Amino acid sequence: MILDWEIKKLNFLTLREKNRLLKLGLKTIKDVVYYFPHRYEDFSKILPISHLFDEQKATIQAWLTKITTKTNPKGTIFLIEGTFEDQSGKIKAVWYNQPFLYQTLKKGSFYSVAGKLVQKNGEIFFSNPNFEIILPQNSLPCIHTGRLVPIYPETKGIKSKWIRKTMFNFLNQIKEKLEEFLPSFLLEKENFLPFPEAVWQMHFPDSLLKNKEARRRFEFEEIFLLQLKVFKAKIKLKQRKAFPIPIQLEKIKNFINKLPFELTKAQKKAIWEILKDMEKNHPMNRLLQGDVGSGKTMVALICALNVVFSGYQVAMIAPTEILAKQHYENFKKFLRDFNLKILILTSNQKEHLKDVTEGNFDIVIGTHALFQNKFNFKKLAFVIFDEQHRFGVEQRQSFFLKNEISPHFLSMSATPIPRTLALTIYGDLDFSTLNEMPKGRKKIQTLIFQQKDLKKMYKMIEEEIKNGGKVFFVCPRIEMKEKGKLFPDLRAVKEEVKKLKKIFPEMKIKMIYGKMKNEEKEKIISDFEKGEIDILVATNVIEEGIDIANATLIVIQNAERFGLSQLYQLRGRVGRGEKEGKCFLITHLPTEKSVKRMEALLNAKNAFELAMKDLEIRGPGDFLSKRQTGNPNFKLASLTNLELIKKSEKSVKTILKKDPSLSSFPLLKKMVGHVKIIHLE
Ligand code: ADP
Ligand code: MG
């Protein structure tokens, strides 16, 4: 496929051109072809000079009749002024600080000139216009003037104009060889422009209408390829074998009846969905989503118990050692009546290593890193990932897929996946949702404070603690200064502790952050849980990595710096006990976006609505890369466009039904192979 060719092997490019394209990150023909302009300058109006008066921008075709320059005392040219004439009149063009143009402009030549028109002292002139010479002997089309001119994202000193010129030559060299890869029935049905034509209309559109047509194709294509990739992966996983796990209904009911609380309806429904799914002899791949405190762990625990009842093994993977330890304690506590071998695997608990390696356990809990070792899972049937956003799903699964028989997978996340993402990048998953909190949980009172209100806020904190409350104080950074770089706008844990100790001399104030030693962290957490710490200053480690139930107030510094879902997660850390939870958001230099975000947080009815807002306000790149390394690189299609996504989904399903391996669409298959989603890779 020509799109796969590496540009370094192309002989129509000079070495300099290759190097500059590489500098832009473009390695293959596909990369170059898909390096779309981010906008267009409309210079398509070509007018006689005498008609320019009412125009903001336009193109003229005229003779350059005069050039003058102005130089500064050092002798460098800082201004070039050219006079252009056609049959209808004269106009000046002025270029500032571009002395090199003096060499290029040729007095007496015929030019196409396009740019913005400026009016000064009753005279109009072009300011820094584009220009290109029109030679009588050749008929090359204009690319910088007289048309919709593509403007490319400039990086690393590479100018849009250079990219435009290079792109034009490049596309002319390869355009005959570009092949359509979308199935023809789809092209016909949707009435899409064929690939080569669409490429051309993206870079050098004949009209806005044509450009829109091209964009419609590429937007669809982007979602379509992505969905093909995701759904193909789903089919592939479903073709694997898994241990079918019978539902031990009586035993499970019995266990549930003995719990100190009643399960929510949502929990019961989720448990049922999961158990039903695991009865099949193909692996489950399911996401359990629910707010912090909605009781996901209990759902996982009950399903794990059902697996163990049938004599199979369970592995649970937590994002941090501390959380692994908390799960371990929890599992031991709730499952103490069953004489099960439950193991924890953390870096400082080597004593279980032998048992784990020999496969001598019912349930093993640990962090991901530890599962990379050689293990003997004799009958591993169920793998639970807690807080699934922390690492890519497929990456984690691949480890467990080494055996011929695959385990069932359950991921748990407190961040709701917006519906559009569930149909695209998370389309390989089935979903269970806990849309209900256990009884007795109250709404969390949320207040926003600006710098001038801080005194009032400190009073409220004092009151909270006097009434027996415990406080989290979250800062975006650990230190103000890091590797010699200063972050003056951001609050840091270490500085904040000092400050708070001055404000509240009587209070017990401690800090916690990810980089601290594990023993140290564990000590602080257990002290906090015992009620021995009044204020715990933390980074957002507490967002996902640590679960402490007895805080009543969470204060978030630089709230404008956190994503909406992050704020939501953080806020969910309080108010899980008897007392009503409170959340104070401190803003520093709120931007329009951040104000919108916080308003959304105050007004949101539920977490899904919030996640969708977050996606809309921040855009998919930002939304995703906060949780996943790498950039999913969605160039065009909006991952919020439900209509488009559904349309694409229909086509994807039609194709995969007929040809799940895409063997009759070899080019399409190649394109799907190029799709990169961190979630899947
Ligand atoms: P999540 O993992 O969804 O944040 P957890 O499973 O850790 O939530 O549950 C939070 C707390 O609520 C735990 O202490 C758990 O034992 C308790 N819990 C779970 N389900 C219920 C329920 N139905 N009613 C009351 N408390 C519950
Ligand atoms: Mg949890």
Side-chain angles (χ1 to χ4, degrees):
M1 187 180 211
I2 184 190
L3 291 176
D4 289 340
W5 294 1
E6 288 182 64
I7 58 165
K8 68 175 178 215
K9 291 185 187 146
L10 299 176
N11 53 22
F12 61 80
L13 291 173
T14 65
L15 190 61
R16 180 182 138 90
E17 283 172 331
K18 288 176 189 176
N19 284 337
R20 300 190 105 196
L21 290 173
L22 284 173
K23 237 174 140 184
L24 288 170
L26 312 177
K27 296 195 189 78
T28 62
I29 289 192
K30 173 172 178 283
D31 293 341
V32 180
V33 165
Y34 280 81
Y35 194 78
F36 294 140
H38 59 83
R39 63 186 183 89
Y40 305 86
E41 196 76 74
D42 189 354
F43 291 140
S44 55
K45 236 184 206 177
I46 304 175
L47 293 171
I49 290 172
S50 61
H51 285 51
L52 293 179
F53 266 93
D54 287 333
E55 303 296 330
Q56 313 258 313
K57 52 188 169 185
T59 298
I60 57 160
Q61 296 190 334
W63 303 94
L64 177 59
T65 52
K66 193 174 155 195
I67 308 177
T68 57
T69 59
K70 285 189 184 158
T71 49
N72 63 18
K74 275 190 192 157
T76 10
I77 297 172
F78 69 90
L79 187 143
I80 302 172
E81 194 179 278
T83 306
F84 290 90
E85 283 184 46
D86 66 8
Q87 270 140 350
S88 75
K90 266 191 209 183
I91 190 164
K92 276 183 187 157
V94 178
W95 291 273
Y96 305 93
N97 298 319
Q98 300 181 66
F100 47 89
L101 293 183
Y102 190 64
Q103 258 58 277
T104 338
L105 287 162
K106 300 257 172 329
K107 196 173 131 183
S109 291
F110 193 61
Y111 280 95
S112 183
V113 183
K116 293 204 172 71
L117 289 156
V118 178
Q119 202 153 11
K120 212 169 160 188
N121 304 330
E123 191 194 8
I124 62 161
F125 59 95
F126 280 112
S127 169
N128 287 323
N130 294 351
F131 61 90
E132 51 201 317
I133 203 160
I134 300 179
L135 297 170
Q137 66 271 27
N138 73 20
S139 56
L140 273 179
C142 290
I143 58 171
H144 309 293
T145 63
R147 54 160 28 263
L148 285 166
V149 176
I151 311 292
Y152 291 92
E154 297 183 341
T155 31
K156 294 164 192 153
I158 301 177
K159 291 266 181 274
S160 172
K161 182 174 177 184
W162 182 86
I163 302 172
R164 187 185 308 137
K165 195 180 80 200
T166 311
M167 186 65 80
F168 186 77
N169 295 333
F170 190 96
L171 293 180
N172 270 312
Q173 290 287 342
I174 60 155
K175 69 178 175 205
E176 307 288 315
K177 299 195 187 74
L178 290 177
E179 305 154 281
E180 181 59 69
F181 55 85
L182 288 183
S184 50
F185 81 87
L186 199 61
L187 283 185
E188 272 165 40
K189 188 172 128 222
E190 301 293 341
N191 203 8
F192 287 139
L193 288 181
F195 183 57
E197 171 72 3
V199 167
W200 197 258
Q201 296 299 339
M202 281 303 278
H203 289 282
F204 296 98
D206 293 337
S207 66
L208 283 175
L209 202 70
K210 278 272 160 104
N211 178 253
K212 217 172 131 189
E213 275 296 286
R215 190 166 292 270
R216 188 170 69 86
R217 177 204 152 103
F218 284 113
E219 283 177 355
F220 178 88
E221 184 190 301
E222 193 169 48
I223 293 283
F224 179 70
L225 294 176
L226 174 63
Q227 282 187 319
L228 269 177
K229 172 124 188 172
V230 172
F231 287 111
K232 223 171 135 238
K234 183 172 187 167
I235 292 175
K236 215 168 140 198
L237 186 70
K238 288 284 177 204
Q239 281 168 346
R240 293 183 61 105
K241 289 249 170 309
F243 297 112
I245 313 292
I247 303 177
Q248 314 267 357
L249 200 57
E250 284 315 308
K251 284 188 186 170
I252 291 295
K253 271 189 177 164
N254 205 12
F255 175 77
I256 290 175
N257 286 335
K258 280 200 218 138
L259 283 173
F261 44 72
E262 180 162 7
L263 292 180
T264 63
K265 254 205 220 111
Q267 279 174 312
K268 285 182 198 161
K269 181 162 174 264
I271 291 168
W272 188 245
E273 285 167 353
I274 295 165
L275 293 183
K276 275 311 236 186
D277 215 358
M278 285 202 286
E279 273 187 322
K280 297 175 192 148
N281 57 359
H282 300 293
M284 169 178 81
N285 192 22
R286 186 170 284 272
L287 180 74
L288 175 62
Q289 42 184 354
D291 282 0
V292 177
S294 60
K296 297 183 291 292
T297 314
M298 188 47 69
V299 171
L301 183 144
I302 291 168
C303 296
L305 186 59
N306 186 62
V307 171
V308 173
F309 280 152
S310 300
Y312 293 102
Q313 292 173 311
V314 178
M316 182 169 189
I317 292 109
T320 63
E321 292 203 353
I322 295 197
L323 208 51
K325 186 120 189 280
Q326 288 178 343
H327 284 318
Y328 173 65
E329 301 295 343
N330 234 331
F331 272 55
K332 272 206 313 199
K333 186 177 91 189
F334 280 104
L335 300 176
R336 67 186 158 239
D337 294 344
F338 295 99
N339 190 26
L340 300 181
K341 190 142 186 165
I342 304 176
L343 303 183
I344 178 154
L345 202 66
T346 61
S347 48
N348 46 9
Q349 257 160 322
K350 297 257 156 55
E351 73 263 30
H352 287 161
L353 200 62
K354 189 162 170 284
D355 276 335
V356 177
T357 342
E358 288 171 5
N360 194 8
F361 61 89
D362 296 303
I363 299 174
V364 60
I365 300 171
T367 56
H368 184 245
L370 296 161
F371 282 94
Q372 305 293 359
N373 299 322
K374 270 208 181 124
F375 284 140
N376 192 354
F377 294 116
K378 286 182 193 142
K379 291 177 89 178
L380 181 69
F382 187 30
V383 178
I384 304 159
F385 301 100
D386 192 21
E387 305 293 8
Q388 71 119 26
H389 286 306
R390 277 290 162 119
F391 15 66
V393 175
E394 192 84 343
Q395 205 180 353
R396 294 170 295 156
Q397 285 180 1
S398 63
F399 173 73
F400 295 99
L401 285 174
K402 278 178 198 148
N403 294 336
E404 198 197 332
I405 300 192
S406 162
H408 298 284
F409 295 105
L410 181 70
S411 301
M412 302 196 285
S413 169
T415 309
I417 310 293
R419 189 153 147 64
T420 55
L421 294 189
L423 286 170
T424 50
I425 43 177
Y426 293 97
D428 58 328
L429 295 169
D430 294 311
F431 292 83
S432 290
T433 304
L434 302 183
N435 53 3
E436 176 186 14
M437 289 300 248
K439 270 193 210 120
R441 301 266 160 85
K442 296 177 194 95
K443 216 179 155 218
I444 300 160
Q445 189 193 2
T446 308
L447 300 173
I448 299 176
F449 292 91
Q450 299 190 349
Q451 294 306 300
K452 59 181 168 44
D453 313 319
L454 290 187
K455 271 222 169 83
K456 192 169 118 201
M457 186 196 74
Y458 290 134
K459 264 248 129 50
M460 293 172 81
I461 294 179
E462 199 176 340
E463 213 137 284
E464 181 76 20
I465 296 171
K466 279 198 176 137
N467 290 329
K470 300 289 167 207
V471 180
F472 276 139
F473 209 104
V474 180
C475 300
R477 300 196 58 81
I478 301 172
E479 285 175 272
M480 293 274 271
K481 220 169 138 183
E482 206 173 270
K483 289 180 190 150
K485 240 174 113 185
L486 198 67
F487 296 86
D489 300 337
L490 296 182
R491 297 301 138 132
V493 169
K494 288 186 179 169
E495 281 82 5
E496 204 72 26
V497 167
K498 284 187 203 144
K499 202 167 133 199
L500 290 171
K501 278 185 174 163
K502 275 192 200 133
I503 299 171
F504 305 113
E506 269 112 77
M507 309 288 179
K508 278 215 73 174
I509 300 173
K510 284 268 151 87
M511 61 181 161
I512 189 166
Y513 47 87
K515 277 195 220 146
M516 276 163 62
K517 282 214 181 78
N518 273 323
E519 299 96 76
E520 231 178 310
K521 281 192 271 190
E522 279 167 27
K523 169 98 174 59
I524 286 173
I525 287 167
S526 89
D527 284 353
F528 192 79
E529 284 187 325
K530 280 186 241 155
E532 288 167 10
I533 295 172
D534 297 313
I535 302 179
L536 185 56
V537 186
T539 55
N540 62 350
V541 282
I542 61 162
E543 180 196 348
E544 288 180 347
I546 297 169
D547 207 355
I548 307 178
N550 68 335
T552 54
L553 165 64
I554 183 163
V555 184
I556 304 172
Q557 272 284 15
N558 293 106
E560 73 278 2
R561 294 298 176 118
F562 292 93
L564 202 45
S565 295
Q566 253 183 323
L567 287 176
Y568 191 80
Q569 281 249 34
L570 284 168
R571 185 173 69 166
R573 292 288 153 197
V574 300
R576 298 163 70 176
E578 315 275 275
K579 284 198 167 157
E580 190 188 338
K582 293 194 185 87
C583 173
F584 295 170
L585 304 171
I586 308 177
T587 65
H588 291 249
L589 295 164
T591 62
E592 200 179 320
K593 264 192 183 183
S594 68
V595 169
K596 259 197 193 161
R597 271 212 301 268
M598 272 174 273
E599 278 174 1
L601 181 70
L602 292 181
N603 298 330
K605 285 188 201 69
N606 56 50
F608 283 93
E609 189 183 284
L610 206 63
M612 199 66 197
K613 275 267 157 57
D614 206 13
L615 182 62
E616 275 167 20
I617 297 172
R618 288 199 295 171
D622 227 20
F623 183 88
L624 294 169
S625 62
K626 280 277 174 292
R627 331 203 134 76
Q628 294 158 335
T629 44
N631 191 341
N633 210 8
F634 292 100
K635 287 187 175 141
L636 300 163
S638 159
L639 281 177
T640 50
N641 188 342
L642 189 60
E643 209 178 320
L644 180 72
I645 290 167
K646 285 208 155 156
K647 184 191 267 191
S648 154
E649 189 197 0
K650 238 187 205 163
S651 305
V652 165
K653 290 200 164 150
T654 316
I655 290 184
L656 289 180
K657 208 171 191 177
K658 275 193 243 153
D659 184 2
S661 65
L662 297 181
S663 51
S664 48
F665 304 99
L667 291 181
L668 181 62
K669 187 171 179 169
K670 277 224 154 139
M671 288 301 277
V672 171
H674 286 310
V675 175
K676 286 208 172 62
I677 324 152
I678 302 312
H679 169 68
L680 279 171
E681 239 99 23

